[in-house]
Amino acid sequence: MTWDEMWHGIHIGCARRMAVLKRGGKDRFGANPELIAWKADIEGACAELAVAKALGVEWPASVDQGSDPDIWPDIEVRRTNPSLILRPNDHKDRRYVWVKGWAPAYEIGGWIKAGDGMRDEWLTDFGKPNRPKCFCVPRERLCKIETLTMPEN
């Protein structure tokens, strides 16, 4: 990721956080907004841009995207550790790409269709009963990013 690209991602991440604040929205999944809100929005936006760049497609750079995918037509980007996290209400027909690292250096670790990653044996609360359960997809079960194909325009 270039410095100009990172700057673009930072701006979109900040715009997303401001949109949440403006509408009085709350952070989801039990996250402490004082600890991660701005960081999550900025790093998430930059990670989306990095994935779009790796796939050779345009990044929509949307703010308040609603239920639209991060990258058209069906890509969702998750920058999480230690592996890809899926939520029970995620779109089962979308492909989720796992990214780790921090701007400007990200590693795209792989992808999985959400419906394939929502397995009972991967359901966890990470030992934090105050947080909602999620699916933690083991890294070795992700498809290689090179196998993620995009439709021709």
Side-chain angles (χ1 to χ4, degrees), residues 28 48 62 65-78 84-87 89-98 111-118 137 142-143 148-150:
R28 302 176 297 166
E48 289 174 20
S62 56
Q65 67 201 52
S67 64
D68 289 346
D70 296 331
I71 300 169
W72 286 92
D74 65 346
I75 304 293
E76 300 289 351
V77 176
R78 293 282 164 86
L84 178 67
I85 301 296
L86 296 172
R87 303 282 176 189
N89 62 346
D90 282 340
H91 297 273
K92 290 178 176 55
D93 60 336
R94 291 191 183 167
R95 299 176 291 173
Y96 285 72
V97 177
W98 176 53
W111 68 278
I112 195 167
K113 193 170 188 177
D116 296 333
M118 294 179 180
V137 181
L142 297 174
C143 303
L148 185 62
T149 59
M150 300 298 286

Side-chain angles (χ1 to χ4, degrees), residues 3-149:
W3 294 111
D4 285 342
E5 290 166 339
M6 192 169 112
W7 190 242
H8 182 52
I10 289 169
H11 278 84
I12 295 301
C14 288
R16 288 177 180 176
R17 175 59 20 195
M18 290 172 63
V20 168
L21 295 171
K22 187 175 181 181
R23 72 172 177 270
K26 299 193 184 243
D27 289 282
R28 302 176 297 166
F29 314 122
N32 183 340
E34 293 178 7
L35 296 177
I36 68 163
W38 287 91
K39 176 177 77 170
D41 286 328
I42 291 168
E43 290 290 348
C46 288
E48 289 174 20
L49 191 151
V51 170
K53 183 177 177 179
L55 295 174
V57 297
E58 183 178 339
W59 178 49
S62 56
V63 176
D64 267 350
Q65 67 201 52
S67 64
D68 289 346
D70 296 331
I71 300 169
W72 286 92
D74 65 346
I75 304 293
E76 300 289 351
V77 176
R78 293 282 164 86
R79 195 197 67 77
T80 57
N81 286 306
S83 192
L84 178 67
I85 301 296
L86 296 172
R87 303 282 176 189
N89 62 346
D90 282 340
H91 297 273
K92 290 178 176 55
D93 60 336
R94 291 191 183 167
R95 299 176 291 173
Y96 285 72
V97 177
W98 176 53
V99 178
K100 70 176 187 172
W102 307 96
Y106 293 106
E107 178 185 332
I108 302 170
W111 68 278
I112 195 167
K113 193 170 188 177
D116 296 333
M118 294 179 180
R119 303 175 91 176
D120 289 340
E121 66 263 31
W122 298 339
L123 191 62
T124 182
D125 64 5
F126 295 104
K128 299 177 182 178
N130 62 322
R131 302 276 311 259
K133 290 192 175 197
C134 62
F135 300 93
C136 183
V137 181
R139 296 178 196 183
E140 63 274 6
R141 299 305 293 268
L142 297 174
C143 303
K144 297 207 179 292
I145 194 64
E146 297 81 20
T147 65
L148 185 62
T149 59

